[in-house]
Amino acid sequence: MRKVRKAVFPVAGLGTRFLPATKAIPKEMLPIVDRPLIQYAVDEAREAGIEQMIFVTGRGKSAIEDHFDIAFELERTMTDRGKDISILDATRLGPGNCAYVRQQEPLGLGHAIWCARDIVGDEPFAIFLPDEFMWGSPGCMKQMVDAYERLGGNIISVLEVPREQVSSYGVIAPGAQDGTITEVKGLVEKPKVADAPSNLIVSGRYILQPEVMRVLEAQEKGAGGEIQLTDAMARMIGTQPFNAVTFDGRRFDCGAHLGYVEANIAVALERPALREPLRERMRVMLED
Ligand code: UTP
């Protein structure tokens, strides 16, 4: 079985739900406490043994490239002043560990992934949607890679949501279940509640075989007039093994206001220096 060595991070979306914050700053650079969303996703990839990070960017996204580069002036000035720069270690991605490709028009997630086809080449690869913030240990992708090493094929992460929420997401038609693994028999993007095959939604992490690129190449627009990754994956079911892992951890939809605020509180509550003062302030605020 071929190892998952590469990850694609589609970060070319417009982030309209977070305007005006995202007018000049990429959504993926919004911080959860003190680390940007994209940093958590890259750390999760590294933990899962992934070596090369491929970012699909667009106009106005250069802050992401700067974030993973060496900040020479900053590091030099801090060192001269005797300050510890180890906090920056995780932000450096060397030339062998990262690649950037442009999606010239935001034609949809499926199209963004397809833009990375030449760098991905003919090997299985992971996909991370950085605004789906997956918080757990081991991380979501590590749990998926462990499943992949047993099952091969294609693996997606799923989670259960209340049925009335399914219309905002990709939804799976589940087959046989074994612990955290569910066979995927079908996939549908943003179904009506009445038509949804389950309440298990696709949650922003994927391990896919390279054949998906050929399916995307020929693909027409789907829900919302966008080229949908879900539709391409649906066409691969039956030709290759397709399974879902229910993530053992917490997920926050940081593409929406409530999930973003909640993620900040959840992470802050796990920081020893913040936990008690934050609980105290929240107690006071909630009493008002
Ligand atoms: P979203 O559906 O969250 O869209 O994309 P968005 O543009 O980022 O945000 P809103 O809805 O306007 O607020 C899911 C992921 O797919 C990427 C986004 O960057 C995000 O990581 N994406 C989406 C692309 O890279 N290109 C696209 O054409 C669409």
Side-chain angles (χ1 to χ4, degrees):
M1 185 184 303
R2 287 174 299 175
K3 192 175 173 297
V4 183
R5 298 185 312 128
K6 300 182 178 181
V8 178
F9 300 81
V11 292
L14 298 176
T16 53
R17 284 172 293 166
F18 257 96
L19 283 169
T22 48
K23 186 177 173 195
I25 295 170
K27 174 168 76 172
E28 298 77 14
M29 287 302 292
L30 294 177
I32 303 297
V33 183
D34 54 7
R35 274 199 288 169
L37 278 166
I38 190 73
Q39 178 77 57
Y40 288 96
V42 165
D43 291 347
E44 186 188 324
R46 280 194 180 118
E47 182 205 13
I50 291 168
E51 294 153 18
Q52 191 182 20
M53 317 298 163
I54 304 164
F55 300 91
V56 181
T57 69
R59 275 179 298 285
K61 299 282 180 166
S62 55
I64 296 174
E65 290 182 50
D66 291 342
H67 179 77
F68 289 111
D69 201 357
I70 290 177
F72 179 76
E73 301 84 347
L74 177 67
E75 293 184 18
R76 182 64 185 269
T77 309
M78 284 177 71
T79 307
D80 286 350
R81 291 180 186 168
K83 293 208 162 106
D84 180 14
I85 60 165
S86 61
I87 189 88
L88 298 172
D89 288 352
T91 65
R92 290 192 209 96
L93 285 176
N97 301 115
C98 68
Y100 296 87
V101 57
R102 289 284 267 232
Q103 183 191 27
Q104 292 182 310
E105 284 177 88
L107 297 177
L109 176 59
H111 179 259
I113 302 303
W114 181 75
C115 290
R117 65 198 177 283
D118 286 341
I119 309 175
V120 167
D122 192 27
E123 56 181 288
F125 64 104
I127 301 172
F128 290 75
L129 307 194
D131 57 347
E132 295 269 351
F133 180 59
M134 309 300 264
W135 189 236
S137 183
C140 184
M141 187 52 70
K142 174 80 177 89
Q143 293 179 25
M144 292 170 70
V145 165
D146 289 347
Y148 173 77
E149 283 169 357
R150 285 187 287 121
L151 302 166
N154 301 274
I155 309 267
I156 56 178
S157 78
V158 291
L159 54 94
E160 261 183 66
V161 296
R163 219 180 155 83
E164 58 277 11
Q165 290 177 17
V166 292
S167 305
S168 309
Y169 302 99
V171 179
I172 70 162
Q177 212 162 350
D178 179 11
T180 59
I181 308 294
T182 307
E183 187 193 352
V184 179
K185 298 200 114 171
L187 275 163
V188 45
E189 185 65 31
K190 300 189 174 64
K192 291 195 186 114
V193 174
D195 301 338
S198 73
N199 64 341
L200 285 172
I201 62 155
V202 184
S203 63
R205 300 290 183 275
Y206 314 74
I207 295 172
L208 299 179
Q209 296 299 317
E211 287 75 22
V212 74
M213 294 298 191
R214 287 198 270 288
V215 181
L216 283 168
E217 182 139 10
Q219 202 172 302
E220 286 161 18
K221 290 177 180 167
E226 295 193 334
I227 297 175
Q228 296 287 356
L229 181 62
T230 306
D231 297 346
M233 293 191 301
R235 290 208 201 144
M236 294 187 27
I237 295 169
T239 66
Q240 295 182 345
F242 221 112
N243 290 287
V245 173
T246 303
F247 172 49
D248 180 12
R250 294 161 78 191
R251 168 259 190 188
F252 303 94
D253 177 3
C254 289
H257 295 158
L258 186 60
Y260 177 70
V261 174
E262 207 187 340
N264 271 283
I265 295 169
V267 171
L269 284 173
E270 287 191 21
R271 294 273 179 96
L274 290 174
R275 186 179 167 80
E276 279 318 314
L278 179 59
R279 282 168 67 95
E280 183 50 36
R281 301 230 182 133
M282 281 169 63
R283 222 175 272 131
V284 173
M285 283 164 88
L286 291 172
E287 274 164 14
D288 285 347

